[in-house]
Amino acid sequence: MTGAKDLDLQIRDDVAVVRLTRPHKRNALSDGLIFALRDTFQNLPGTVRAAVLDGEGEHFCAGLDLSELKERDAGQGLHHSRSWHVALEALQYGPVPVVAALHGAVVGGGLELASACHVRVADSTTFYALPEGSRGIFVGGGGSVRIPRLIGVPRMMDMMLTGRVYNAADGERLGFAQYLVDEGTAFDKALELARRIAENAPLTNYSLMHALPRIAEQPADHGFLTEGLMSAIAQAAPEAKERVRAFLEGRAAKVSRG
Ligand code: 1HE
């Protein structure tokens, strides 16, 4: 299976750096690369506490490898789309939060991949598009679920119907990225944030990754109960007790103005 050669994994202390390394094809996502992403996030070493997802070259990711979009029948198309869902769920609901370092094209399946990450840092060269509309296809990598949660159905509708492209500044304003940074600095900022995230209590990160998005989808009365249960589990951990004690004894940082 090709794909693993197009993905690089480096462990830097407790942060995993996962990089798409197919710049000559603008990091287009072949089936092999999708499987490699799935396997990488399913098998991160237990010492890892956070991850960065980056793309080599001038573009984060040009989406689906269109050269593989050949004669698929409906059943094969369904299974292909479902294989993306499995891979991107392995990332979104995996063991650790993932910070995406965006630059250049974040388009089609590349935007679907970015949307599965927990924090997105975009440099000023970033642009966002969903060219599926003009290629005669539909999103298939979870985009119709995740992208409206970032920017809303009307904006995604417009992007796909009209081919609209958003630049980095507009993308940050709309909610594609939580951070906008200077050209060439997205990776450094993403690594800094991943290191900060890695310092959190593991149950806090787990609650945020696994409970928060699900609570947001629940009816309020279910959400309050799920929140109460998760809150009880997190505060019972010895690490939480120690962190609270450290603050009360003046050993932990105060919140400072942003
Ligand atoms: C590719 C792909 C690709 C580049 N599949 N080979 N995605 C798209 O429709 C986006 C298509 N790509 C582009 O619009 C542009 O390539 C970029 C804006 C991303 C970059 O432009 P540029 O000028 O830097 O590169 P290039 O010259 O267009 O491409 C360089 C090579 O990468 C070239 O191959 P070469 O052999 O001629 O050198 C391109 O063919 C190749 N390449 N993008 C295959 N996407 C789960 S469903 C998801 C559905 C989708 O994602 S649909 C949207 C697909």
Side-chain angles (χ1 to χ4, degrees):
M1 176 67 67
T2 56
K5 67 176 169 37
D6 296 326
L7 194 70
D8 183 61
L9 169 66
Q10 276 180 31
I11 305 298
R12 300 196 190 182
D13 303 318
D14 50 8
V15 173
V17 175
V18 181
R19 182 168 284 136
L20 308 171
T21 53
R22 209 185 172 209
H24 55 291
K25 293 290 179 188
R26 307 310 184 248
N27 296 319
L29 297 167
S30 61
D31 285 354
L33 192 40
I34 285 294
F35 291 134
L37 277 166
R38 176 198 65 192
D39 294 347
T40 298
F41 283 99
Q42 281 179 344
N43 296 299
L44 285 176
T47 51
V48 164
R49 296 287 195 93
V52 172
L53 179 64
D54 189 22
E56 198 173 301
E58 284 177 25
H59 300 281
F60 173 74
C61 179
L64 174 72
D65 185 331
L66 292 168
S67 70
E68 290 185 355
L69 190 67
K70 36 185 192 285
E71 302 295 314
R72 279 194 201 113
D73 66 19
Q76 290 163 332
L78 170 66
H79 290 302
H80 177 261
S81 169
R82 300 294 288 148
S83 73
W84 275 59
H85 296 160
V86 170
L88 270 50
E89 288 221 334
L91 186 166
Q92 181 178 4
Y93 296 118
V96 295
V98 182
V99 185
L102 306 180
H103 56 284
V106 181
V107 304
L111 181 51
E112 296 183 282
L113 174 62
S115 303
C117 296
H118 304 91
V119 177
R120 284 161 294 279
V121 178
D123 88 1
S124 56
T125 68
T126 306
F127 57 98
Y128 307 90
L130 290 168
E132 286 88 338
S134 37
R135 308 266 180 254
I137 54 178
F138 187 58
V139 283
S144 60
V145 173
R146 294 190 181 97
I147 295 171
R149 287 178 188 159
L150 297 179
I151 62 165
V153 168
R155 286 204 167 89
M156 177 169 174
M157 181 83 76
D158 176 39
M159 287 177 79
M160 292 199 67
L161 285 175
T162 70
R164 183 169 185 168
V165 179
Y166 283 109
N167 66 24
D170 288 342
E172 190 253 354
R173 185 174 53 80
L174 297 183
F176 276 131
Q178 292 100 324
Y179 294 83
L180 177 62
V181 297
D182 290 340
E183 178 173 354
T185 65
F187 176 77
D188 289 347
K189 181 68 180 176
L191 186 61
E192 175 196 322
L193 293 170
R195 289 201 164 118
R196 170 68 187 77
I197 290 167
E199 290 172 7
N200 292 338
L203 270 179
T204 298
N205 285 346
Y206 183 89
S207 315
L208 289 165
M209 292 175 65
H210 292 266
L212 178 63
R214 291 175 166 119
I215 291 171
E217 297 302 316
Q218 289 177 339
D221 62 336
H222 294 197
F224 292 136
L225 178 61
T226 311
E227 179 187 280
L229 295 170
M230 202 63 241
S231 157
I233 293 168
Q235 61 95 48
E239 195 166 356
K241 306 271 182 232
E242 166 49 26
R243 285 171 184 239
V244 172
R245 202 162 37 239
F247 173 76
L248 294 174
E249 293 170 3
R251 292 183 283 115
K254 292 184 193 180
V255 178
S256 56
R257 289 176 198 279

